[in-house]
Amino acid sequence: NAGVTQTPKFQVLKTGQSMTLQCAQDMNHEYMSWYRQDPGMGLRLIHYSVGAGITDQGEVPNGYNVSRSTTEDFPLRLLSAAPSQTSVYFCASSITGPSGNTIYFGEGSWLTVV
Amino acid sequence: GENVEQHPSTLSVQEGDSAVIKCTYSDSASNYFPWYKQELGKRPQLIIDIRSNVGEKKDQRIAVTLNKTAKHFSLHITETQPEDSAVYFCAASRSALYAGGTSYGKLTFGQGTILTVHP
């Protein structure tokens, strides 16, 4: 049981490049989400999904796209990377949502945009 | 939307002392309040949580209290140890219904508290 798996762990991008952060979970969780973590600002919700084919915006969605074609996978796409997107990204999942259910985080992806 | 404020941003204590971290929230409908511990370079991990129908919850040296009227909740760590040193985050969530009646919610985090326990 791998839990929540994120790749890559580290990435350096040039401004304007695009990339996809991969996230997969093997716990059959309906709810998956992406957070970014910046110093002094805690974790902020980017996008989330309550099941295959259903996604919604979080607190800071601009510049990011998501899709949920399967229960297991929830990739995060940066369309045109900007230095402001330099951050640590965490994918997380839970059975039916964070209200009363334990959220399981991936190990994080460190992204630097130069 | 929900706004969660966390204080203090840094906290330094001597080993064996108690540590208290406080959070306030804005959405009176929030009903779930977890606390996460994050060690340097690691993922956040749940250490304790409380639901809005409970005023206090304890787990060994860790306790959380909730005051719904004042909309604030606190983490209490007693007999602190050096391995308690980490960043602690509070969070708040409310249930949101989607089609089919399934309950979900969005978790809003506080800004974090860097706790340092000196031997």
Side-chain angles (χ1 to χ4, degrees):
Chain A
N1 189 338
V4 180
T5 303
Q6 282 182 241
T7 56
K9 193 170 179 73
F10 300 99
Q11 182 73 47
V12 178
L13 282 180
K14 293 183 179 179
T15 298
Q17 286 185 319
S18 63
M19 77 157 297
T20 300
L21 298 176
Q22 302 290 346
C23 177
Q25 52 90 11
D26 61 0
M27 297 174 282
N28 202 31
H29 285 172
E30 292 184 357
Y31 185 95
M32 296 185 74
S33 54
W34 277 101
Y35 291 87
R36 60 176 289 173
Q37 184 174 26
D38 303 293
M41 300 186 76
L43 291 97
R44 292 182 292 168
L45 182 65
I46 304 171
H47 286 285
Y48 66 101
S49 168
V50 300
I54 307 171
T55 63
D56 205 348
Q57 295 181 351
E59 183 184 354
V60 288
N62 293 340
Y64 307 94
N65 271 0
V66 292
S67 60
R68 184 94 178 270
S69 57
T70 67
T71 300
E72 294 79 19
D73 300 299
F74 190 46
L76 177 72
R77 281 181 287 276
L78 282 71
L79 309 173
S80 177
S84 61
Q85 294 179 302
T86 294
S87 188
V88 183
Y89 292 84
F90 286 97
C91 179
S93 74
S94 62
I95 294 175
T96 57
S99 186
N101 295 299
T102 300
I103 284 190
Y104 296 86
F105 284 91
E107 292 186 322
S109 296
W110 275 253
L111 176 66
T112 300
V113 182
V114 297
Chain B
E2 174 68 279
N3 183 49
V4 178
E5 296 289 332
Q6 183 172 347
H7 298 280
S9 56
T10 60
L11 180 59
S12 183
V13 300
Q14 289 296 125
E15 182 176 2
D17 288 349
S18 294
V20 180
I21 303 170
K22 299 181 179 180
C23 289
T24 60
Y25 61 98
S26 61
D27 187 350
S28 57
S30 288
N31 55 9
Y32 176 64
F33 307 92
W35 285 88
Y36 289 85
K37 175 183 180 182
Q38 186 180 31
E39 297 176 345
L40 189 62
K42 300 291 182 63
R43 74 187 89 187
Q45 295 202 309
L46 179 71
I47 56 172
I48 195 168
D49 57 12
I50 191 168
R51 288 166 175 76
S52 59
N53 59 347
V54 176
E56 184 176 4
K57 183 177 179 180
K58 289 183 180 180
D59 183 4
Q60 299 182 339
R61 296 186 296 109
I62 294 174
V64 57
T65 57
L66 171 65
N67 184 326
K68 287 188 295 182
T69 302
K71 291 190 284 187
H72 67 71
F73 56 111
S74 300
L75 177 71
H76 304 255
I77 306 174
T78 59
E79 301 173 23
T80 54
Q81 302 167 2
E83 51 264 39
D84 293 329
S85 296
V87 181
Y88 291 81
F89 292 98
C90 63
S93 173
R94 61 177 293 184
S95 298
L97 290 178
Y98 277 81
T102 306
S103 176
Y104 296 94
K106 290 192 253 189
L107 206 55
T108 301
F109 285 83
Q111 297 84 354
T113 296
I114 302 172
L115 174 64
T116 304
V117 181
H118 299 282

